[in-house]
Amino acid sequence: MKLYVYDHCPYCVKARMIFGLKKIPFELITLLNDDEATPIKMIGQKMAPILQKDDGSYMPESMDIVHYVDDKFGEPVLSGKTNPAIADCLKSISEYLSKLLLPRFAQADFCEFKTPSSREYFINKKQAIVGNFAQLLQQTPELIKRLEQDLAILDKLIQSPEACNGQLSVDDIHLFPTLRGISIIKGVAYPPKVDAYRKAMSHLCGVNLLDNIAR
Ligand SMILES: N[C@@H](CCC(=O)N[C@@H](CS)C(=O)NCC(=O)O)C(=O)O
């Protein structure tokens, strides 16, 4: 199977995670961010992730890919219960996180930005949505303060470094991509359980953290 992604994309991380958690081999292909033709040809719109199944057909939508891979290949691993408090915490973080992430993603050395035009495409498209990146970067101190308050709430919810609710569940598929995005933000103080979780889950699912390119 082939999985088409953008490295910065949290939905793509969800799809990558299930392959890693189940140790299923797959080919990871990063699309250029300004390549509209390839995804449109595959699924009728410019969106990642896209799974190409072994029969050649294409499947969009991260959670459809996650459930397809979990259900069809070996024993399902996402069998644990979910905790609505995890979803509430992620909802709170999502209210401001793109303001911290998008200006940093735009500067990162991701494969989808290999050409100048692909990076420019991202910058133009995202600034039109969230506002000027330089101005957003100036808001970093207050946004990190808000983020650290939410991470303190999250810390109380995490039951194990290997599964946020004690047994792997869909909550892990939603939580880790957010923490992986946050890892590109320099200067975030992680509470101990959140830190242990993001590191252990990165190892388990085979998706790197971005601490080494944090800015
Ligand atoms: N509902 C979709 C959302 C996927 C999505 O929004 N992907 C973004 C990247 S994070 C995308 O491809 N946007 C088009 C673009 O970046 O031009 C899913 O869960 O897979």
Side-chain angles (χ1 to χ4, degrees):
M1 285 179 282
K2 292 181 182 171
L3 186 65
Y4 293 84
V5 300
Y6 307 124
D7 199 354
H8 73 272
C9 166
Y11 304 99
C12 301
V13 173
K14 293 182 189 194
R16 291 166 64 185
M17 283 179 77
I18 193 65
F19 284 95
L21 290 171
K22 298 195 78 167
K23 308 277 177 271
I24 296 171
F26 70 111
E27 189 181 340
L28 188 67
I29 299 163
T30 308
L31 293 164
L32 277 177
N33 203 250
D34 62 342
D35 176 3
E36 296 183 336
T38 304
I40 288 174
K41 198 172 68 193
M42 292 169 170
I43 58 162
Q45 59 180 317
K46 199 251 180 212
M47 197 174 71
I50 301 167
L51 176 69
Q52 185 173 22
K53 298 182 189 173
D54 288 334
D55 66 5
S57 64
Y58 295 106
M59 175 183 266
E61 286 300 327
S62 55
M63 291 313 293
D64 289 349
I65 297 169
V66 167
H67 291 302
Y68 169 75
V69 173
D70 198 26
D71 294 345
K72 291 274 184 291
F73 300 88
E75 279 296 299
V77 294
L78 301 176
S79 39
K81 282 197 186 125
T82 56
N83 177 0
I86 296 276
D88 290 347
C89 191
L90 286 175
K91 186 163 176 286
S92 173
I93 293 174
S94 74
E95 280 164 21
Y96 54 85
L97 188 61
S98 57
K99 294 182 188 180
L100 282 163
L101 296 190
L102 294 176
R104 290 169 171 83
F105 287 162
Q107 295 174 35
D109 194 15
F110 292 136
C111 287
E112 62 265 33
F113 303 141
K114 233 171 9 195
T115 60
S117 68
S118 58
R119 193 180 295 277
E120 210 171 297
Y121 179 100
F122 180 87
I123 292 171
N124 291 337
K125 191 166 182 173
K126 301 302 180 186
Q127 284 196 141
I129 300 168
V130 293
N132 179 271
F133 283 172
Q135 284 171 11
L136 290 179
L137 284 170
Q138 287 175 2
Q139 296 176 29
T140 294
E142 55 264 33
L143 290 171
I144 288 187
K145 203 176 276 176
R146 219 170 141 186
L147 174 61
E148 287 176 345
Q149 285 166 3
D150 280 326
L151 292 179
I153 294 169
L154 180 63
D155 203 58
K156 296 199 180 76
L157 302 174
I158 290 180
Q159 294 184 29
S160 154
E162 280 91 29
C164 62
N165 300 325
Q167 186 182 349
L168 277 177
S169 71
V170 167
D171 278 352
D172 294 293
I173 299 291
H174 294 309
L175 176 57
F176 175 72
T178 293
L179 294 174
R180 194 255 188 176
I182 290 169
S183 69
I184 202 171
I185 308 165
K186 200 171 174 173
V188 175
Y190 293 95
K193 284 193 204 160
V194 175
D195 197 36
Y197 174 82
R198 70 192 191 105
K199 287 173 178 159
M201 190 53 63
S202 166
H203 186 70
L204 276 179
C205 74
V207 179
N208 63 327
L209 290 171
L210 306 171
D211 293 323
N212 61 327
I213 58 160
R215 56 183 76 226

